[in-house]
Amino acid sequence: MAEVFAEDAVYTDPLLSVRGWEGLDATIAAVQAQFGGLVFSLGGAVDAHHSVARFTWHLGPGGAEPVVIGFDVAVIGEDGRITQVLGFLDKVPAAA
């Protein structure tokens, strides 16, 4: 976690907003529990300039139609770690 995210990194999507490693870790654990057995994959190329990157991601069974599709924008700090992620959900199952 410390290699990728700044200590006070913020993650915000339509369902929640968390700050810091503890909040990020809890969010990742909750997603893994809710969608166990599914895998994240890139939905296309990462587009980046200056200290900002955007990308589409898929979550689903390996090699199959994704169950969830999202679009994230990540801000990279001067030390190369992520300081902020703004997430958008384009496709979400009704039960999510």
Side-chain angles (χ1 to χ4, degrees):
M1 181 79 62
E3 290 180 33
V4 176
F5 290 97
E7 187 172 3
D8 62 346
V10 176
Y11 174 84
T12 304
D13 70 22
L15 304 175
L16 60 90
S17 183
V18 298
R19 178 182 294 275
W21 294 334
E22 189 174 309
L24 291 166
D25 188 52
T27 299
I28 292 166
V31 169
Q32 289 174 331
Q34 183 176 3
F35 296 105
L38 302 182
V39 294
F40 280 99
S41 61
L42 281 173
V46 176
D47 183 24
H49 62 80
H50 297 86
S51 62
V52 180
R54 67 177 180 157
F55 57 94
T56 298
W57 52 265
H58 295 168
L59 176 64
E65 182 73 20
V67 177
V68 181
I69 298 174
F71 177 88
D72 287 0
V73 176
V75 179
I76 312 302
E78 290 183 17
D79 64 359
R81 296 185 297 168
I82 297 170
T83 60
Q84 183 179 29
V85 177
L86 302 170
F88 298 85
L89 301 173
D90 299 321
K91 176 184 175 185
V92 180

